[in-house]
Amino acid sequence: MKKIAVLCMSILLLLVVTACGGEQGGGQALSEDKLKIGVTAGPHEQVLEKVKEVAEEDGLEIEIVVFNEYVMPNVALAEGELDANSFQHKPYLDKFKEDRNLDLVEIATTVNFPMGMYASSIKDVSELKERDKVGLPNDPTNGARALILFEQAGLIKLKEGVGVAATVKDVEENSLNLEFVELEASQIPRQLDELAAAAINTNFAVEHGLVPTEDSIFMEPSDSPWVNLLAVRTENKDDPVLEKLIKAYHSDEVKQFIEETFGGSVVASW
């Protein structure tokens, strides 16, 4: 009887372990007619609301989950709480995946948000003074993007070849001895009054009532390479439902909405 009991317990334990292992290791296909998509508040949310409207005509239901920062949309996607997200450009996604060892992949481009410099008390970058405080995002990719923007504005010169890996330590020339203040990207608009100027991502600028084409004192060219994208778990990248999502996003209706709503502050990638 003891041998039978031990054998039964062994089989039960094996079944439990196998079930747990299967749950952790295997993925599931996405629903054929419903997707849960994460976005950041502001333009990404507005555009996806229009995408949702267009997708409904094709039988695809989209549930939108709104975030107010850049970390959780990828974490939630990786953990299976979302089916896709739309808020980031490729340099940010690549860096985030590397740092967190996440298995995510882009499936399509979406829109470009030219980053701008903003200020409360000056109207042009030429008005910046010696030792002024200038804000920029504290995450590596958007921080590098801001530094490249400052270089384009003629404020600094970066070490040759650093590109999207630039940090404040790579500033080679800073004739005004500007003090660079690194802040969480979503918080910069709230602290703009405490800075002489700051680089602000367009989605956060718009969320706080700024109009990039009117309120920025310097802006990236509209053909900047920092195009945003749709990301999913790699295991789901070929799921047929995603073709419906891309079709809706890349529709003429959505493109027209972007052009009419944002007036050049947000640029469609297709």
Side-chain angles (χ1 to χ4, degrees):
M1 289 294 293
K2 282 186 177 181
K3 289 182 179 180
I4 294 174
V6 170
L7 180 59
C8 289
M9 286 297 293
S10 298
I11 292 172
L12 180 61
L13 180 60
L14 179 61
L15 289 172
V16 171
V17 171
T18 302
C20 292
E23 184 178 356
Q24 292 173 356
Q28 293 183 347
L30 301 177
S31 167
E32 295 181 2
D33 54 12
K34 184 175 182 179
L35 289 172
K36 190 174 183 180
I37 304 176
V39 295
T40 44
H44 277 300
E45 179 186 4
Q46 291 174 265
V47 174
L48 196 60
E49 287 285 0
K50 183 63 179 181
V51 174
K52 176 179 179 178
E53 178 185 316
V54 174
E56 284 177 353
E57 299 173 4
D58 199 23
L60 174 60
E61 179 183 349
I62 294 177
E63 178 184 349
I64 300 173
V65 181
V66 182
F67 297 87
N68 291 305
E69 45 77 53
Y70 286 156
V71 175
M72 285 309 298
N74 277 334
V75 173
L77 177 58
E79 292 179 350
E81 297 173 16
L82 300 172
D83 299 318
N85 67 39
S86 176
F87 78 101
Q88 64 195 323
H89 47 62
K90 184 171 173 58
Y92 182 85
L93 174 62
D94 288 346
K95 178 65 175 171
F96 199 96
K97 288 195 301 181
E98 179 184 349
D99 290 347
R100 305 243 180 171
N101 193 30
L102 301 182
D103 197 12
L104 306 178
V105 66
E106 68 272 16
I107 57 168
T109 59
T110 56
V111 293
N112 195 1
F113 293 78
M115 179 181 274
M117 285 185 68
Y118 299 82
S120 297
S121 58
I122 64 174
K123 300 295 184 183
D124 193 272
V125 291
S126 63
E127 299 176 45
L128 286 168
K129 303 186 301 294
E130 182 90 11
R131 300 187 184 283
D132 270 344
K133 293 182 178 180
V134 177
L136 71 160
N138 63 3
D139 65 272
T141 51
N142 285 300
R145 183 180 185 180
L147 290 168
I148 292 170
L149 180 66
F150 298 158
E151 185 174 49
Q152 291 171 330
L155 297 174
I156 62 171
K157 184 175 180 181
L158 296 168
K159 292 178 183 176
E160 188 174 350
V162 291
V164 298
T167 71
V168 291
K169 295 179 180 179
D170 296 311
V171 175
E172 207 165 52
E173 294 181 17
N174 179 9
S175 59
L176 290 176
N177 293 310
L178 299 170
E179 180 183 342
F180 297 110
V181 182
E182 297 176 281
L183 300 164
E184 205 282 316
S186 65
Q187 299 302 312
I188 297 178
R190 296 186 178 91
Q191 300 188 43
L192 191 56
D193 289 341
E194 302 170 25
L195 303 162
I200 303 178
N201 293 83
T202 293
N203 56 317
F204 292 130
V206 171
E207 183 184 348
H208 284 81
L210 296 168
V211 180
T213 51
E214 297 176 9
D215 297 325
S216 63
I217 61 173
F218 189 82
M219 200 170 181
E220 280 178 341
S222 59
D223 62 349
S224 113
W226 304 85
V227 64
N228 284 254
L229 44 83
L230 286 167
V232 300
R233 289 180 297 280
T234 302
E235 66 190 14
N236 297 126
K237 67 183 179 67
D238 296 319
D239 284 24
V241 67
L242 297 176
E243 295 178 10
K244 285 187 177 182
L245 172 61
I246 296 169
K247 177 184 174 183
Y249 208 118
H250 287 186
S251 65
D252 291 339
E253 296 96 318
V254 172
K255 188 170 189 176
Q256 182 178 350
F257 171 82
I258 292 168
E259 292 171 350
E260 293 177 352
T261 304
F262 301 107
S265 299
V266 180
V267 182
S269 68
W270 66 98

